[in-house]
Amino acid sequence: MALRTLIDPIAEPLLSLRQVSTTQWALRLTGLVGMVLALLATLPQGPFAGFPSVLLTLTLAVLTLLQMLRPDTGLGVAGPLLVVLVLAVQAELSLLRALTVGLALLLSHVGFSLAATLPAHGRFEPSARRLALRWLLPVLGVTVLGAAVVLTAAGTVLGAWMVVPGVLAVIALLVALLPRSR
Amino acid sequence: MVRAVLVGCTALVLGVLLGRPALLLVGLPLLAWALTAVALRILQDREEGFPAPVLEPGLRTVEEGGTTALTLRTAPGALTAITVPMQPHTRFWPRYGSLAGDGTVRLRVTAERWGRVRVGPVHTLVTDPLGAFRAQAEVPAVTVRAVPSSSVLDAPVEVPTPIGVSGMHLSRRRGDGTALSEVREFRPGDRLHRINWRVTSRTGRLHTNATFTEQDTEVLIVTDTIADITPAPWAGDEAPSSLDMTVRATAAVARHYLTAGDRVTLFDLGHLIGPVPAGTGPRQLRVLTNALARAGREDGAMRLPRRLRSVRSGTLVVVCSPLLHKEAIAQIGVLISLGADVVVVDTLPPSIGDTAPLRGRPVRQEGISSDRFWPEAWAMRRLLRNSTVRELREAGVPVTTWEGPASLAPVLLSLSRARSAPRRRRS
């Protein structure tokens, strides 16, 4: 009886994992893989190279695990923000590495966004898979276009005055894109 | 959406403030995702939201074990998800009742047991293909009726005393029919085409064939739904309760006699199944099976049993009962005294009172011993009930356990033999 009391609390969550559908496994693992790729690209010296790297790795691991359990959690914004902040303080950041991190964050975000549309036992029909993949193509197209513009303009040196309109433009973009309650 | 915009704009701000174009590339894919979602929303004219989902149920009435579909429609190009709570004795496809598709989603529901199956409330979520903008709604539940499958009884349809007008049962009354009763002298009023010319030519006097008439009969099915006895815990999830057995036996007997052209009526001693007046044909079978399907298990509160006070003498009465309640047994006695031909179908689950698991110590179920001795109590109750069954048999009432369509065949065969047996006056 004592053994049963020990085993039951462990066995029940493991058995409930059987109810998680293949679709959800695929989407959540996509999110996980994206975050792992982003982490590896953010820390080129390795995820366990020093104390700050270990700290970042553990924090991202916890946040990603929480997001795998609850894809729609508000904590999902913390991981990518942390990655952006770490990249901002790095002395050297090549354009290629930055783009890699960006695409990895996109992969993670897409996986978790789609996973949040269904409960853990929900499945996607083939038509749903086709629909989601079809509309990722314009996203990649816009990314490529934007990257081309950034790469082209990267060599241009503008004065400090450009900061003000730049920030205003970002604020305007933020306001335009954030969802409003109707 | 908030996540993508916040992260993208943060990278953008940092890139602008620190003068590092590489940071722009970090936030660019997420911003591209957000911009595409907004553009899609504008292009598809969904700024005011998604169209309300429409739930279209398929067949509202299915047979036990049958399948129907629930279709949810929104608009093409919208990722539509439907989630339905699990119900007992119901199977969904996909297995756990949650599915997403492009604009239209179809969920299949299989009713494994007769009765009313409440599917829902249905939770719907409609989103754009990227999952950025979402709308959720709950659609009220849909009720599907599973009628008991009326299995075919492989048994004769003869009855001891047909009391109808015209049918297929051979009666003892002489009249217009097909079965020869005797060859006698011609009397005024006899039909000319019945003249037996062979005997006439031999005897020199007109002789005619006299026949027995064929009549239909009235079959009254009495159901005992006073209490629903659930099977023993070791019998498994699929084992039927007494109500299941009663309903299935009723459906099988009704179909058997309705197919033979007889009139079938139903009376329920409990309050789960409404009375069904006499009728014939396929329509009556539909009426009966629909009445059985409407019986709700949740209505199983104990109420005062009904009483049937009169029945036409000679009516074939099939009583489907677990023979536990004294009112049900008293009712059988009343039916016999009124001159009905009574057959009892025992619908007590066979695992109830089964002595096989008893070992002289408490029965363990899932590793836990019950201290209430329910299996032992039921075993003793079944022994007491056996004396009731024996008394009924001694009174000339056949009692047979319902074990499927084949279980009634011996009883119905004995009834057909009883048709020609000498009849005993009941006191």
Side-chain angles (χ1 to χ4, degrees):
Chain A
M1 186 65 84
L3 190 62
R4 198 187 179 90
T5 318
L6 280 174
I7 293 176
D8 278 350
I10 304 167
E12 278 167 23
L14 287 175
L15 284 171
S16 65
L17 278 179
R18 288 168 61 183
Q19 294 183 7
V20 179
S21 66
T22 326
T23 301
Q24 284 290 354
W25 277 118
L27 290 171
R28 295 178 195 210
L29 285 175
T30 301
L32 173 68
V33 163
M35 280 311 292
V36 168
L37 287 174
L39 177 69
L40 292 175
T42 303
L43 302 171
Q45 64 276 24
F48 302 107
F51 176 71
S53 303
V54 170
L55 193 61
L56 177 66
T57 304
L58 288 175
T59 310
L60 277 183
V62 168
L63 289 170
T64 308
L65 184 65
L66 286 171
Q67 198 170 14
M68 280 191 75
L69 294 172
R70 293 271 185 271
D72 212 19
T73 177
L75 286 174
V77 74
L81 271 180
L82 206 55
V83 166
V84 167
L85 290 172
V86 167
L87 287 172
V89 301
Q90 284 181 349
E92 275 186 39
L93 177 62
S94 68
L95 293 170
L96 182 63
R97 191 156 67 91
L99 189 60
T100 306
V101 171
L103 288 172
L105 288 177
L106 175 67
L107 181 69
S108 174
H109 176 71
V110 165
F112 287 129
S113 301
L114 292 174
T117 60
L118 277 176
H121 50 269
R123 287 177 48 171
F124 266 21
E125 278 190 327
S127 62
R129 282 198 290 268
R130 282 194 299 269
L131 181 69
L133 287 172
R134 196 163 62 229
W135 282 98
L136 279 178
L137 295 176
V139 174
L140 292 174
V142 172
T143 303
V144 166
L145 202 65
V149 169
V150 169
L151 289 171
T152 309
T156 311
V157 175
L158 297 166
W161 59 270
M162 200 50 200
V163 170
V164 174
V167 171
L168 286 174
V170 173
I171 293 170
L173 191 64
L174 189 72
V175 168
L177 291 180
L178 272 179
R180 285 177 224 115
S181 58
R182 297 185 189 277
Chain B
M1 188 64 170
V2 171
R3 184 166 68 220
V5 170
L6 275 179
V7 174
C9 288
T10 303
L12 220 59
V13 164
L14 287 173
V16 166
L17 286 177
L18 299 175
R20 298 179 70 180
L23 285 173
L24 299 179
L25 288 178
V26 175
L28 183 62
L30 287 171
L31 280 176
W33 184 91
L35 281 166
T36 308
V38 171
L40 184 61
R41 190 175 167 88
I42 296 168
L43 280 172
Q44 290 180 338
D45 200 20
R46 290 195 184 142
E47 288 165 286
E48 296 307 316
F50 291 97
V54 175
L55 186 67
E56 295 168 8
L59 298 171
R60 299 298 282 263
T61 305
V62 295
E63 257 203 16
E64 196 175 354
T67 301
T68 184
L70 275 181
T71 306
L72 185 76
R73 290 186 204 280
T74 52
L79 191 63
T80 308
I82 180 174
T83 303
V84 173
M86 301 292 290
Q87 296 290 335
H89 308 301
T90 309
R91 229 175 36 241
F92 291 108
W93 184 92
R95 190 173 171 190
Y96 295 106
S98 182
L99 187 64
D102 177 3
T104 301
V105 180
R106 180 168 289 138
L107 197 75
R108 288 204 292 269
V109 181
T110 302
E112 291 181 326
R113 216 168 243 196
W114 63 271
R116 286 174 291 185
V117 178
R118 189 181 154 81
V119 183
V122 180
H123 182 261
T124 66
L125 186 142
V126 186
T127 174
D128 60 277
L130 298 174
F133 298 98
R134 296 179 214 161
Q136 298 183 65
E138 206 158 83
V139 180
V142 168
T143 302
V144 175
R145 258 207 315 254
V147 297
S149 52
S150 43
S151 41
V152 176
L153 296 184
D154 187 16
V157 293
E158 277 84 7
V159 296
T161 41
I163 54 175
V165 175
S166 165
M168 59 180 284
H169 303 296
L170 208 54
S171 75
R172 288 188 182 78
R173 208 158 48 88
R174 289 189 173 85
D176 225 356
T178 56
L180 184 69
S181 73
E182 61 174 351
V183 179
R184 57 168 172 76
E185 283 210 19
F186 184 87
R187 291 199 281 262
D190 286 341
R191 291 179 186 272
L192 294 177
H193 68 268
R194 293 231 180 249
I195 294 174
N196 190 321
W197 292 108
R198 212 154 32 114
V199 175
T200 300
S201 65
R202 198 171 64 237
T203 60
R205 290 191 299 280
L206 268 178
H207 279 75
T208 185
N209 295 331
T211 53
F212 289 116
T213 57
E214 280 131 4
Q215 294 171 274
D216 64 353
T217 193
E218 189 150 319
V219 178
L220 168 64
I221 305 176
V222 177
T223 52
D224 175 5
T225 59
I226 297 169
D228 183 12
I229 313 297
T230 50
W234 56 82
D237 291 337
E238 297 305 314
S241 66
S242 68
L243 185 59
D244 290 329
M245 293 169 73
T246 299
V247 165
R248 289 172 187 156
T250 303
V253 169
R255 178 179 172 159
H256 185 66
Y257 285 104
L258 285 170
T259 310
D262 294 320
R263 289 188 307 283
V264 175
T265 179
L266 186 141
F267 182 85
D268 183 21
L269 296 178
H271 294 262
L272 292 189
I273 308 167
V276 178
T280 58
R283 184 188 170 277
Q284 179 69 354
L285 182 62
R286 271 198 311 275
V287 167
L288 264 163
T289 49
N290 284 340
L292 293 171
R294 277 197 300 271
R297 290 167 195 276
E298 59 273 13
D299 302 337
M302 292 283 285
R303 297 177 214 180
L304 280 177
R306 290 201 192 115
R307 286 186 193 151
L308 183 59
R309 298 191 192 279
S310 67
V311 71
R312 197 170 155 195
S313 174
T315 301
L316 174 63
V317 179
V318 179
V319 180
C320 300
S321 168
L323 296 174
L324 289 174
H325 205 279
K326 63 178 188 298
E327 282 285 345
I329 298 164
Q331 181 69 78
I332 295 172
V334 166
L335 289 168
I336 296 169
S337 68
L338 290 173
D341 293 318
V342 180
V343 174
V344 174
V345 178
D346 178 6
T347 55
L348 186 68
S351 58
I352 291 290
D354 185 12
T355 53
L358 302 181
R359 295 280 182 269
R361 46 181 189 278
V363 174
R364 291 175 72 85
Q365 186 68 23
E366 293 180 349
I368 301 167
S369 306
S370 169
D371 56 357
R372 287 183 175 269
F373 299 99
W374 284 123
E376 288 81 358
W378 273 114
M380 290 168 63
R381 183 66 183 89
R382 188 180 265 277
L383 287 172
L384 284 172
R385 201 189 74 121
N386 286 349
S387 65
T388 305
V389 171
R390 193 176 56 248
E391 283 166 17
L392 283 171
R393 285 181 175 144
E394 284 169 2
V397 176
V399 180
T400 184
T401 306
W402 174 256
E403 288 166 353
S407 54
L408 279 186
V411 170
L412 297 177
L413 197 60
S414 68
L415 275 181
S416 72
R417 289 199 198 111
R419 198 182 62 80
S420 54
R423 296 187 63 74
R424 180 168 68 103
R425 182 191 293 275
R426 288 195 180 99
S427 55

